[in-house]
Amino acid sequence: MSETTFSAVAVLCDTLARTASRREKIRLIKEFLLRLKEDEIAPAVAQIIGTIFPEDASTNLEIGYSTVKRISERKRQTTLFPAPLTILEVREYLNEIAALQGSGSRERKEKLLESLLGRAGSLEVSYIIRMIFKEMEHGVSEGLMLEAIAEAARVEPELVSRANMLSADIGEVARIAILKGRTELEKIQLVLFRPVKPMLAEMAYSIDEVFEEGSLWAFEYKFDGARIQIHMRGKDVRIFSRRLSDVTSSLPEIAELARELGVEEAVLEGEAIAVKDGRPLPFQELMRRFRRVHEIDAARMVVAVRLYLFDLLYRDGKTTIDMPYTARRALLAEACPSLLAEMVITQDRAKAEVFLKRALDEGHEGLMAKAPDSPYTPGKRGKKWFKLKPCGYP
DNA sequence: ACTGATGCGTC
DNA sequence: GTCGGAC
DNA sequence: GTCCGACGACGCATCAGT
């Protein structure tokens, strides 16, 4: 079996763009995946949905609109390679571009991209550029791709979805699902120091709106900061951002707090916010700290950062995401009583209103409302978590 | 050593 | 993060 | 209800050019 061309990916994407039906899109992708060679599955999946690199990888192309525009304005070089681009070659080009850094790297990135595009036909060029901007415009992103992978592998969509939540590498999930099947897929678990996608919340604008979806809710302050996920084994601590990048070095005082917990193994989740005199500072103040790599000590003096923890996803060898919120919360309280975000469980709307008013008075954004019996569903948005931001407030 | 252009990631 | 639109 | 695509403000990092 010969290697699959990138042209095949581009043609698939083009067909997807002209296909409205979800079912049909899924079928097209499934058929395509099943025809690929083993080592083509992961890169092809990434290329089709335009992600290119795993979500927790720090690799980046650093190619943007300006660079692409410059290349396209230059006279296109005639193709010197008679051989068509393959899926694997495109991946190699992009890996190489991402790996370049240091003096002269921008120019070399540009040249490398130019030579990649020079080897591509017009449809391929179009989709390579869409990949760079993550704007595939064919109506297929992670959700439909996961369904297609499930069909190709003949397993339940929930199993694929769960594996993807826990590994944050959809290409790898596809490879395992299709080549190894159910047993290996089920073995994908939360692994310490490999971040998982944070659970998401829906918007609500009033307490009443929340209580329409349930009678008992756990409320927490909604902090105006940045979501972080802390992985730790003893003194070994890594802090991950919402998009799973490693921000440990930017937040030394938070890493230190984690080390002092004296917890064997844990994955903790919380919010980092900038504070002064016990009051929260605007989000922009936190941004002066959040991804900083230079002069961190000086920045620490200017902007103090506080940590509020509100969830626990893993403890001493065991994943806790399937436990109800209240049970995870209890484990969290036991592991780190000092850093807990305040929480009120109630079915009383008036009590919730009082808590909301307090949150706003103290300078926070509003409340989070969480269903007490709900498991932690990484990367998912549903009616289990609400962010409650009343209109009319700043 | 400094400034501007470009790209990325947070909300 | 928000928003609207397609299914 | 869910997913997808298009959008904005802001601050920092890195590299290019002087």
Side-chain angles (χ1 to χ4, degrees), chain A residues 261 263 265-268 309-338 340 343:
Chain A
L261 287 173
V263 172
E265 289 185 335
V267 174
L268 311 167
L309 293 172
F310 51 70
D311 219 322
L312 178 148
L313 313 187
Y314 180 98
R315 179 75 202 268
D316 297 341
K318 293 214 168 166
T319 307
T320 57
I321 64 170
D322 297 310
M323 296 170 60
Y325 167 83
T326 45
R328 301 197 308 274
R329 192 67 206 210
L331 287 176
L332 177 68
E334 179 203 329
C336 27
S338 61
L340 286 180
M343 190 264 286

Side-chain angles (χ1 to χ4, degrees), chain A residues 48-106:
Chain A
I48 292 166
I49 63 174
T51 56
I52 311 183
F53 304 113
E55 297 187 57
D56 60 340
S58 50
T59 39
N60 238 312
L61 288 177
E62 291 165 305
I63 297 284
Y65 175 75
S66 307
T67 310
V68 169
K69 185 162 175 252
R70 255 197 317 277
I71 292 174
S72 70
E73 278 168 355
R74 278 201 288 273
K75 194 165 176 240
R76 190 132 170 265
Q77 300 295 313
T78 45
T79 305
L80 298 174
F81 294 81
L85 278 169
T86 65
I87 289 173
L88 294 179
E89 282 174 328
V90 170
R91 183 191 58 177
E92 280 316 302
Y93 268 101
L94 296 175
N95 280 343
E96 243 185 281
I97 292 172
L100 287 170
Q101 53 181 13
S103 185
S105 62
R106 292 292 164 93

Side-chain angles (χ1 to χ4, degrees), chain A residues 117 120-131 135-136:
Chain A
L117 295 179
S122 61
L123 191 62
E124 295 158 81
V125 167
S126 158
Y127 278 102
I128 289 169
I129 290 172
R130 292 180 203 217
M131 278 164 54
E135 290 170 358
M136 302 305 286

